[in-house]
Amino acid sequence: MIIYEKEKLIIKSDFEIRTLMEQNSDVDLFIPTNFRTLNLYLEDLPDYIDSRIQLTEVKNIVLRFSTEENNDYCTIHFLRNIDLQSSMLNFVINYKDHYIVLKDGEYNGEMHIKRK
């Protein structure tokens, strides 16, 4: 398992994590997932959502975050290919009190966003 830590962002991953861009205070991380079905698990989902959100054929994940002080937000993009325009879903999280776990399973991948 790879552990990536920078500022307050922590990612524990079975997948490779590459720095795509580091410019000024912005950092883009690139995580290839090889067209996996990805199950997204978020703590404290509303009761009417069972347990996960499932994305099919995710080729790459891109995380964009800032190293500026008091900016603990990152945008997570799930891509069909390498182009950000191919994003099938993206959202912003505050990672100050959370960390990300990426697991590579036999038939799918998993992304968990958990409390520290």
Side-chain angles (χ1 to χ4, degrees):
M1 179 165 279
I2 298 165
I3 298 178
Y4 176 92
E5 288 188 66
K6 187 157 189 159
E7 303 300 318
K8 295 176 191 158
L9 179 65
I10 300 170
I11 304 170
K12 299 177 181 182
S13 179
D14 291 339
F15 298 100
E16 175 186 10
I17 300 173
R18 291 184 246 162
T19 301
L20 191 60
M21 186 268 308
E22 240 179 299
Q23 185 175 9
N24 301 324
S25 62
D26 292 330
V27 179
D28 284 359
L29 300 177
F30 181 79
I31 305 166
T33 57
N34 199 26
F35 287 110
R36 303 301 301 264
T37 294
L38 188 73
N39 293 321
L40 176 59
Y41 295 92
L42 306 169
E43 288 189 350
D44 301 324
L45 280 172
D47 291 341
Y48 56 85
I49 296 178
D50 186 22
S51 63
R52 63 175 163 75
I53 297 168
Q54 188 174 72
L55 303 164
T56 58
E57 296 182 3
V58 177
K59 179 167 181 161
N60 303 296
I61 300 170
V62 171
L63 281 92
R64 176 170 286 166
F65 69 101
S66 175
T67 58
E68 291 177 348
E69 190 174 341
N70 297 322
N71 183 350
D72 301 324
Y73 290 91
C74 81
T75 304
I76 303 172
H77 300 268
F78 300 92
L79 309 178
R80 287 232 188 257
N81 60 49
I82 198 161
D83 181 7
L84 269 179
Q85 299 301 317
S86 74
S87 180
M88 62 181 91
L89 173 72
N90 66 71
F91 56 89
V92 177
I93 66 166
N94 183 328
Y95 56 82
K96 177 181 170 191
D97 298 320
H98 293 81
Y99 67 98
I100 298 168
V101 177
L102 292 164
K103 296 181 180 180
D104 186 9
E106 186 175 352
Y107 300 106
N108 59 21
E110 294 181 2
M111 176 183 242
H112 299 260
I113 299 177
K114 298 184 172 196
R115 290 193 194 283
K116 292 181 180 172

